[in-house]
């Protein structure tokens, strides 16, 4: 049962084969058994979770259930949830209890989904390995000595280890897609503005977007139906008509024009990953897709641009964590300045501090034009690259990450190597486009483990339904997405 | 050497919106600390700003009132600094692209023969949020933070360095104070901090084109203090320069107790605010139709009303100016005229007795115990000759004291003027008979004797005789 999709479990709930309480308890038991090692969840609250499950059962009994009613979902600990501890992976918020619900929490609650717990993440979503979490690193279920990716590493590991049927993530530079790739999941970052950022603790406001992490594209479509939609509390939320993301799932792919950016297959891409991605492309050809060679010439600039803009926004977004109103405050301090300095020095980890320093620097008088302004200009060029590309193709495919999951600690002391993990994902955030990663196969590690490889699918603005269609068609003819890691039975 | 002072003002006006600029929390003043601090005011993790459109309307109104350019696209920026009353660690303001651009205002300076008009150029006006307040001393050894005010909408109005004296600066500030209340965007309450001025002062040798180094006097919350602060600061800068010193750019505070200005700690100046466009807010777009909607809602502006008073009622420039100094005064005057009063008499009463009483009792005209229609009913009794001007003053006092309406007071105090020519003739005859000597003097050519006879007749009537009629009858009787 643990390997069933949201769709299948939903049908069982609707058919009264199982209750939400029973299903939830099944996952809670698995969490009790496996989470102490995998560390995918930071906070659990069984009473709250089971109360929600009970409520879902009453909805189902009354015939008021919808697709996700009664299904236990892991919520990334970046989303503020009322009455739940919400840490954002930081010591700064170790004791912070959410006083209100994020939009995404409201939406899942609203359809009777069950909040199974708050999943681990890199501190303030800054990282690509989940190693910057104050609450400890997360194991990759496919090889416990390896990282699950980040920053939504807890959500990825939880779904991969079948500790929940699906989870939410957020993606600022690849934080949904890269862990999905490293853990063998499907993950989707929607078009910027489709999902509300209200209640999602901000990292880089102009890039942050929440999205689903699940086992299949069909499940992601069901989650997209819930988590997207206009929210007047977020000024960047787009007021568009509600879509049904399942509507195109079964469309044939014949004639679909797939762009293959040459920059995504150049130096830096691991040969093992390249092989798997090429096999997936061959599969798409069999499905009737047509391959087109394209170019995204400014790809190499996306990392430097991102590491100016994201830290700039973060340095300002994280100023509110000052120890005055909530969050960590140093026990002993002299004057006000000393309280600020000590509280922030103690409350933030090394990577967060590094980015605050970079961001503060690039916004400083005398440097602003050379860094921030220049980066904004290049950001526009990167968006133009995609605009040109989509004149030649319907969707773009390539690798999600340059490598499979790496060993914990392997890149922890080399920020630039870590930042290169996001070389294929970051441009999508800079352009505000939707991007998705789906399991495309496995590459063997040097010690003989099977490590998942993700295929990235990038769509034009608001083309999520078409992307999900492309992913679903592939998942109808392959079974990569249903395979489970060993040792989690 | 002769020196010239150069002054520019930055004024923070709190906009009269019901809710805060980026959240739905109330802006009412004086509530218990932190009872008007919602999740956005508290800057909890994950919250986002949403612009209050009413604040934008206020900014457009101001732009229209000073004939300024209104930007079709302006940008909110973050001004980053740490302070306990600034919950986000940044203030949302406008930096490179403000909502209101260049405009101007005409001020009247001085009075009487020395009065003159001057155009003050407005550089810009931008929307921003107010900070909260630090509360010291409530608890031993601790400071409290009250975030009720955090997020209150402000329009910061900046002038060019166009003023050349404390009097000009105060005249501008007063005029601006009147204007923002006139167009209904600010309650003008200086005690509660709704209208706060920062004054930039520098001096230079007269005739020099180059500006001297300025010092900024922060947070002046009364016109009296503004006058004193500028005068002190100007003297201090001139003395410093004449003693061979130099002026350092600085932020200074005015101490009303000593009447002196003093520089704040110098590290305040070292702030690098790291402004950048706020990614949580889209650029503010204002269309022509947005502007025309606000325009349709604008009251008649003081300049237009002044011209109308001169043309329609034949009022003197000075009077029209005084009556349009505030919306309340103008409304009171117009209502009085509309209730049937002669316009010139109404103007005299409003600027005279009414304004004197209000000043003496430190009241706003809206709190006048005599309503415009009550004043009109009094003036009508002067116009129709029922009472004399002198009697009218008594009636006014009684009305102010709440003793009733004009007619009942005239009745109960027996102030009705005698206009019955028969009765007046009888009095005049008595006076002529009793003052033969005076009559002789008049006939001998002593003009003054006539006035004395009028006085006698008025006295005999206990002041109630219509003086014009007394004059007329006396003249007839004396064959003058």
């Amino acid at each position: 049962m643990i390997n069933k999709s949201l769709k299948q479990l939903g049908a069982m709930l609707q058919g009264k084969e199982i209750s939400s309480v029973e299903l939830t308890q099944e996952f809670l038991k698995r969490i009790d058994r496996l989470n102490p090692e995998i560390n995918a969840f930071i906070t659990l609250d069984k009473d709250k979770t089971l109360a929600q499950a009970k409520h879902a059962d009453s909805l189902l009994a009354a015939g008021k259930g919808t697709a996700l009613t009664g299904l236990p979902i892991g919520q990334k600990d970046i989303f503020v949830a009322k009455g739940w501890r919400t840490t954002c992976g930081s010591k700064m918020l170790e004791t912070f209890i959410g006083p209100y619900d994020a939009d995404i929490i409201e939406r899942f609650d609203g359809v009777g989904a069950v909040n199974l717990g708050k999943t681990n993440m890199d501190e303030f979503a800054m990282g690509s390995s989940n190693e910057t979490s104050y609450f400890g690193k997360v194991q990759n279920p496919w090889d416990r000595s390896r990282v699950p990716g980040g920053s939504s590493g807890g959500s990825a590991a939880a779904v991969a280890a079948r500790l929940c049927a699906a989870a939410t993530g957020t993606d600022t530079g690849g934080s949904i897609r890269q862990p999905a790739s490293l853990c063998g999941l499907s993950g989707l970052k929607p078009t910027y503005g489709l999902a509300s950022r209200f209640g999602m603790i901000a990292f880089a406001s102009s890039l942050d977007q929440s999205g689903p992490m699940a086992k299949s594209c069909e499940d992601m479509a069901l989650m997209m139906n819930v988590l997207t939609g206009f929210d007047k509390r977020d000024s960047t939320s787009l007021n568009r008509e509600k879509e049904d993301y399942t509507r195109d799932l079964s469309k044939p792919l014949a004639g679909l024009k797939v762009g293959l950016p040459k920059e995504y297959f150049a130096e830096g891409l691991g040969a093992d990953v390249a092989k798997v991605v090429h096999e997936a492309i061959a599969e798409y050809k069999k499905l009737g897709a047509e391959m087109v060679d394209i170019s995204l010439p400014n790809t190499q600039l996306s990392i430097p641009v991102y590491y100016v803009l994201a830290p700039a926004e973060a340095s300002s977004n994280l100023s509110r964590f000052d120890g005055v109103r909530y969050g960590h405050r140093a026990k002993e301090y002299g004057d006000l300045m000393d309280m600020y300095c000590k509280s922030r020095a103690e409350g933030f980890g090394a990577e967060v501090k590094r980015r605050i320093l970079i961001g503060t620097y690039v916004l400083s008088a005398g440097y602003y034009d050379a860094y921030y302004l220049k980066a904004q200009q290049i950001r526009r060029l990167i968006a133009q690259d995609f605009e040109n590309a989509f004149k030649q193709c319907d969707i773009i495919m390539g690798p999600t990450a340059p490598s499979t999951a790496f060993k914990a600690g392997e890149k922890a002391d080399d920020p630039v190597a870590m930042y290169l993990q996001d070389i294929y994902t970051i441009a999508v955030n800079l352009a505000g486009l939707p991007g998705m990663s789906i399991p495309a196969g496995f590459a063997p590690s040097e010690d003989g483990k099977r490590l998942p490889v993700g295929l990235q699918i990038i769509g034009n603005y608001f083309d999520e339904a078409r992307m999900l269609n492309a992913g679903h068609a592939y998942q109808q003819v392959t079974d990569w997405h249903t395979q489970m890691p060993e040792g989690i039975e | 050497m002769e020196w010239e002072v150069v002054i520019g003002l930055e004024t923070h006006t709190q906009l009269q919106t019901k809710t805060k600029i980026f959240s739905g929390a109330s802006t009412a003043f004086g509530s218990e600390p932190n009872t008007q601090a919602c999740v956005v005011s508290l800057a909890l993790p994950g919250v986002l700003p949403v612009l209050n459109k009413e604040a934008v309307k206020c900014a457009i109104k101001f732009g229209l009132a000073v004939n300024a350019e209104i930007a079709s696209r302006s940008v909110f920026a973050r001004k980053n600094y740490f302070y306990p009353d600034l919950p986000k660690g940044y203030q949302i303001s406008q930096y490179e692209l403000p909502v209101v651009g260049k405009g101007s205002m005409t001020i009247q300076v001085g009075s009487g023969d020395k009065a003159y008009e001057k155009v003050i150029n407005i550089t810009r006006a931008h929307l921003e949020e107010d900070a909260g307040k630090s509360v010291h001393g409530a608890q031993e050894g601790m400071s409290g933070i009250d975030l009720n005010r955090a997020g209150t909408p402000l329009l910061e109005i900046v002038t060019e360095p166009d003023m050349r004296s404390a009097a000009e600066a105060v005249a501008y500030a007063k005029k601006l104070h009147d204007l923002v209340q006139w167009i209904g965007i600010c309650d003008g309450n200086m005690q509660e901090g709704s209208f706060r001025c920062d004054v930039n002062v520098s001096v230079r040798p007269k005739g020099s084109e180059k500006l001297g180094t300025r010092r900024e006097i922060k947070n002046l919350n009364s016109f009296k203090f503004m006058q004193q602060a500028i005068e002190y600061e100007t003297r201090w800068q001139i003395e410093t320069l004449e003693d061979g010193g130099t002026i350092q750019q600085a932020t200074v505070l005015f101490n009303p107790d000593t009447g002196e200005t003093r520089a704040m700690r110098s590290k305040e100046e070292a702030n690098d605010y790291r402004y950048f466009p706020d990614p949580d807010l889209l650029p503010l777009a204002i269309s022509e139709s947005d502007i025309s909607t606000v325009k349709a809602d604008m009251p008649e502006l003081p300049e237009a009303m002044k011209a109308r008073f001169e043309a329609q009622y034949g009022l003197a420039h000075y009077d029209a100016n005084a009556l349009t100094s505030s919306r309340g005064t103008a409304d009171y005057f117009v209502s009085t005229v509309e209730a049937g009063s002669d316009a010139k008499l109404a103007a005299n009463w409003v600027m005279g007795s009414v304004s004197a009483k209000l000043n003496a009792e430190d009241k706003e005209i809206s709190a006048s115990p005599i309503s415009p229609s009550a004043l009109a009913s009094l003036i009508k009794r002067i116009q129709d000759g029922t009472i004399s001007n002198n009697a009218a003053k008594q009636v006014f006092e009684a009305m102010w004291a709440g003793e009733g309406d004009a007619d009942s007071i005239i009745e109960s105090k027996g102030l009705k003027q005698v206009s019955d020519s028969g009765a007046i003739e009888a009095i005049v005859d008595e006076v002529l008979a009793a003052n033969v000597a005076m009559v002789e003097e008049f006939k001998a050519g002593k003009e003054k004797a006539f006035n004395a006879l009028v006085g006698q007749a008025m006295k005999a009537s206990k002041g109630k005789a219509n003086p014009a009629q007394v004059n007329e009858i006396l003249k007839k009787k004396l064959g003058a």
Side-chain angles (χ1 to χ4, degrees):
Chain A
M1 188 174 70
I2 57 163
N3 201 28
K4 289 195 187 312
S5 68
L6 284 181
K7 180 90 189 279
Q8 291 164 329
L9 292 171
M12 287 171 72
L13 287 167
Q14 305 273 349
K16 312 278 191 298
E17 289 171 54
I18 191 169
S19 72
S20 173
V21 169
E22 287 163 342
L23 183 64
T24 303
Q25 269 165 341
E26 173 72 23
F27 281 115
L28 287 173
K29 266 186 236 154
R30 291 185 60 74
I31 292 170
D32 278 344
R33 186 152 52 84
L34 294 167
N35 195 57
E37 283 187 2
I38 294 176
N39 199 25
F41 286 89
I42 292 177
T43 302
L44 296 161
D45 186 333
K46 290 181 186 173
D47 292 343
K48 274 203 182 59
T49 298
L50 287 169
Q52 278 194 312
K54 239 178 239 164
H55 173 68
D57 281 331
S58 69
L59 287 175
L60 289 161
K64 287 181 190 157
T66 50
L68 297 189
T69 308
L71 292 168
I73 309 279
Q75 295 287 359
K76 186 173 179 178
D77 204 21
I78 199 169
F79 299 115
V80 178
K82 196 171 180 173
W84 283 83
R85 182 168 75 141
T86 302
T87 71
C88 220
S90 181
K91 179 182 181 182
M92 186 57 87
L93 292 176
E94 189 175 5
T95 58
F96 180 74
I97 307 294
Y100 72 97
D101 278 330
D103 181 75
I104 196 169
I105 298 287
E106 269 180 8
R107 287 176 187 271
F108 278 105
D109 285 355
V111 298
V114 176
N115 183 349
L116 195 58
K118 306 295 288 293
T119 61
N120 208 336
M121 56 183 286
D122 278 301
E123 185 179 9
F124 285 103
M126 297 174 186
S128 303
S129 67
N130 218 112
E131 290 169 292
T132 71
S133 171
Y134 174 68
F135 300 92
K137 58 190 180 202
V138 176
Q139 293 178 343
N140 186 323
W142 293 91
D143 176 349
R144 305 289 188 90
S145 67
R146 290 175 191 270
V147 303
S151 66
S152 311
S155 288
V159 179
R162 303 319 192 235
L163 303 183
C164 54
T168 56
T170 62
D171 190 316
T172 304
S175 281
I176 286 176
R177 290 160 289 160
Q178 183 257 11
S181 174
L182 269 47
C183 288
L185 308 177
S186 305
L188 170 62
K189 180 206 93 77
T191 304
Y192 184 81
L194 274 189
S196 169
R197 293 185 296 114
F198 181 80
M200 165 180 169
I201 299 174
F203 161 17
S205 313
S206 74
L207 302 159
D208 295 342
Q209 192 63 198
S210 58
M213 301 181 81
K215 293 192 288 283
S216 70
C217 287
E218 187 173 39
D219 283 0
M220 291 209 296
L222 295 174
M223 291 173 79
M224 283 290 286
N225 281 350
V226 172
L227 66 85
T228 59
F230 177 62
D231 179 9
K232 64 176 173 18
R233 298 168 297 187
D234 173 1
S235 305
T236 62
S237 168
L238 297 164
N239 196 353
R240 307 180 86 243
E241 216 171 302
K242 260 311 238 180
E243 281 185 57
D244 176 7
Y245 290 97
T246 64
R247 68 180 190 274
D248 290 337
L249 282 178
S250 304
K251 265 193 173 174
L253 294 190
L256 184 75
K257 279 194 183 154
V258 176
L260 302 175
K262 66 171 190 228
E263 293 80 6
Y264 284 31
F265 296 90
E267 204 192 322
L269 176 63
D272 50 348
V273 173
K275 181 171 171 281
V276 171
V277 171
H278 282 299
E279 284 163 9
I281 288 165
E283 196 65 47
Y284 270 100
K285 282 186 193 157
K286 279 194 238 163
L287 287 165
E290 202 180 297
M291 298 299 147
V292 188
D293 288 328
I294 58 163
S295 174
L296 299 168
N298 292 299
T299 299
Q300 288 302 325
L301 293 175
S302 61
I303 286 193
V305 164
Y306 177 87
Y307 280 98
V308 169
L309 297 181
E313 293 182 19
S315 70
S316 175
N317 282 333
L318 269 58
S319 294
R320 68 187 59 198
F321 304 105
D322 56 6
V324 173
R325 300 168 314 289
Y326 54 79
H328 179 75
R329 185 192 288 189
K331 277 209 173 63
E332 293 191 13
Y333 48 86
D335 59 4
L336 175 66
M337 186 54 68
D338 195 40
M339 187 199 84
Y340 283 148
C341 293
K342 287 206 174 104
S343 301
R344 287 167 69 81
E346 293 168 8
F348 290 139
E351 183 61 27
V352 171
K353 285 178 195 163
R354 176 168 19 242
R355 298 201 195 188
I356 290 174
L357 288 173
I358 294 171
T360 303
Y361 180 81
V362 300
L363 289 174
S364 298
Y367 298 100
Y368 179 86
D369 289 2
Y371 291 102
Y372 184 85
L373 220 53
K374 183 63 79 185
Q376 286 289 22
Q377 288 161 353
I378 301 171
R379 182 177 185 173
R380 250 167 264 139
L381 295 180
I382 289 168
Q384 265 166 30
D385 280 358
F386 284 105
E387 210 181 302
N388 294 335
F390 282 118
K391 287 174 188 156
Q392 296 167 263
C393 60
D394 302 315
I395 55 173
I396 293 170
M397 283 186 192
T400 304
S403 70
T404 53
F406 45 93
K407 293 270 189 190
E410 191 182 319
K411 297 182 200 287
D413 298 325
D414 185 351
V416 175
M418 190 72 90
Y419 297 169
L420 283 169
Q421 272 293 304
D422 298 330
I423 178 81
Y424 307 127
T425 48
I426 273 179
V428 170
N429 300 76
L430 290 170
L433 290 164
M436 182 168 102
S437 180
I438 55 171
F442 294 88
S445 67
E446 62 271 24
D447 43 6
K449 295 263 175 49
R450 290 184 345 135
L451 297 177
V453 173
L455 171 74
Q456 185 174 210
I457 300 180
I458 301 165
N460 210 337
Y461 300 105
F462 311 118
D463 235 357
E464 285 83 354
R466 197 204 301 249
M467 294 156 66
L468 290 164
N469 166 219
H472 183 69
Y474 179 77
Q475 288 176 343
Q476 296 308 294
V477 296
T478 58
D479 67 353
W480 310 117
H481 64 291
T482 61
Q483 298 196 22
M484 286 201 295
E486 284 166 21
I488 58 145
E489 296 74 21
Chain B
M1 193 187 323
E2 229 191 309
W3 295 91
E4 179 178 58
V5 62
V6 176
I7 303 165
L9 262 73
E10 292 169 23
T11 308
H12 290 90
T13 54
Q14 268 183 16
L15 300 176
Q16 271 180 300
T17 55
K18 288 193 186 71
T19 57
K20 294 184 178 178
I21 185 166
F22 297 118
S23 76
S26 165
T27 52
F29 179 84
S31 309
E32 283 295 300
N34 297 311
T35 52
Q36 285 166 191
C38 66
V39 294
V40 175
S41 314
L42 289 166
L44 288 179
V47 298
L48 297 167
V50 177
L51 180 60
N52 179 346
K53 293 198 173 74
E54 290 305 313
V56 178
K57 279 188 193 162
C58 291
I60 297 175
K61 267 190 179 175
F62 178 75
L64 290 170
V66 296
N67 287 314
E69 303 153 15
I70 292 162
S72 57
R73 181 177 173 277
S74 62
V75 170
F76 287 99
R78 292 183 183 180
K79 179 180 181 179
N80 295 282
Y81 66 96
F82 284 95
Y83 205 70
D85 65 14
L86 187 73
K88 294 189 295 298
Y90 57 85
Q91 178 195 30
I92 305 178
S93 181
Q94 296 191 304
Y95 186 53
E96 283 182 333
L97 297 169
V99 60
V100 175
K102 285 185 183 359
S104 68
M105 249 170 67
T106 304
I107 59 167
Q108 286 75 35
V109 193
S111 58
D113 293 345
K114 287 181 183 159
Y116 62 96
E117 291 193 343
K118 181 167 183 174
V119 174
I120 305 298
N121 290 294
I122 309 277
T123 313
R124 59 183 280 167
H126 64 256
L127 285 165
E128 62 183 24
E129 58 181 342
D130 210 343
K133 279 181 189 163
S134 300
V135 186
H136 303 292
Q139 264 177 292
E140 184 65 29
M142 311 237 302
S143 289
I145 307 295
D146 178 6
L147 295 175
N148 282 351
R149 198 182 66 179
T152 297
L154 297 176
L155 187 67
E156 181 174 340
I157 301 157
V158 183
T159 73
E160 292 293 305
D162 281 352
M163 287 147 278
R164 295 290 176 270
S165 65
E168 287 185 5
V170 170
Y172 162 77
K174 281 187 172 165
K175 178 90 182 196
L176 180 67
H177 186 246
D178 291 338
L179 181 67
V180 293
Q181 294 177 80
W182 186 287
I183 59 177
I185 64 170
C186 174
D187 68 14
N189 191 326
M190 296 176 81
Q191 262 69 53
E192 292 177 4
S194 301
F195 188 90
R196 319 192 282 268
C197 295
D198 300 341
V199 184
N200 286 293
V201 179
S202 65
V203 297
R204 63 184 175 191
K206 196 149 195 169
S208 163
E209 287 290 305
K210 211 176 134 232
L211 289 169
T213 304
R214 71 190 148 89
R215 302 212 307 167
E216 182 180 18
I217 314 169
K218 276 272 183 204
N219 271 330
L220 293 165
N221 65 355
S222 97
F223 299 124
K224 197 175 105 193
F225 294 161
M226 183 186 291
Q227 177 98 26
Q228 291 173 357
I230 295 171
E231 283 169 356
Y232 177 85
E233 178 66 23
T234 307
R235 271 200 312 276
W236 182 86
Q237 289 192 17
I238 292 172
E239 279 166 19
T240 302
L241 291 170
E242 286 185 340
D243 289 351
T246 52
I247 307 291
Q248 302 292 320
Q249 190 168 335
T251 302
V252 305
L253 287 177
F254 175 67
N255 182 341
D257 297 329
T258 61
E260 295 176 359
T261 54
R262 180 168 292 182
M264 292 162 72
R265 283 164 296 137
S266 60
K267 73 176 173 190
E268 294 286 329
E269 300 150 41
N271 261 334
D272 176 357
Y273 292 121
R274 290 170 281 123
Y275 281 100
F276 74 106
D278 191 335
D280 286 332
L281 291 160
L282 304 174
L284 171 59
I286 296 175
S287 67
E288 282 302 319
S289 92
D290 293 334
I291 296 173
S292 23
T293 309
V294 174
K295 208 178 239 169
D297 207 27
M298 283 282 277
E300 186 180 14
L301 291 171
E303 292 300 318
M305 196 177 268
K306 195 163 75 186
R308 182 164 67 83
F309 284 0
E310 290 176 40
Q312 189 178 342
Y313 302 128
L315 298 185
H317 186 69
Y318 180 84
D319 294 352
N321 212 11
L323 288 171
T324 54
S325 66
S326 81
R327 179 104 176 253
T329 307
D331 286 348
Y332 190 95
F333 166 73
V334 168
S335 302
T336 307
V337 174
E338 280 171 358
S341 165
D342 172 75
K344 282 187 183 167
L345 281 177
N348 290 340
W349 278 90
V350 173
M351 292 183 301
S353 302
V354 175
S355 129
K357 273 285 185 192
L358 292 171
N359 281 341
E361 295 181 13
D362 197 21
K363 276 189 173 130
E364 291 293 318
I365 198 159
S366 57
S368 164
I370 301 180
S371 71
S373 64
L375 180 66
S377 65
L378 169 62
I379 295 173
K380 275 191 274 184
R381 292 294 163 261
I382 304 168
Q383 283 170 238
D384 66 14
T386 307
I387 51 172
S388 66
N389 274 327
N390 275 339
K393 283 190 180 123
Q394 285 182 56
V395 178
F396 179 83
E397 290 292 335
M399 287 170 77
W400 193 275
E403 290 172 26
D405 61 42
D407 285 339
S408 66
I409 291 167
I410 293 167
E411 194 62 48
S412 65
K413 289 197 187 288
L415 293 171
K416 211 171 206 162
Q417 190 162 247
V418 176
S419 299
D420 172 348
S421 54
I424 294 174
E425 224 173 306
I427 291 168
V428 169
D429 285 343
E430 269 175 45
V431 167
L432 291 177
N435 294 284
V436 179
M438 275 187 204
V439 174
E440 288 308 316
E441 278 177 31
F442 174 74
K443 285 188 172 161
K446 266 191 135 180
E447 290 284 329
K448 269 189 185 165
F450 183 82
N451 290 339
L453 288 165
V454 172
Q456 289 298 322
M458 289 305 291
K459 198 177 167 189
S461 77
K462 294 191 179 102
K464 289 186 216 167
N466 183 327
Q469 276 177 296
V470 170
N471 255 301
E472 200 184 315
I473 289 166
L474 246 181
K475 272 183 190 169
K476 207 167 69 192
K477 298 254 175 199
L478 292 171

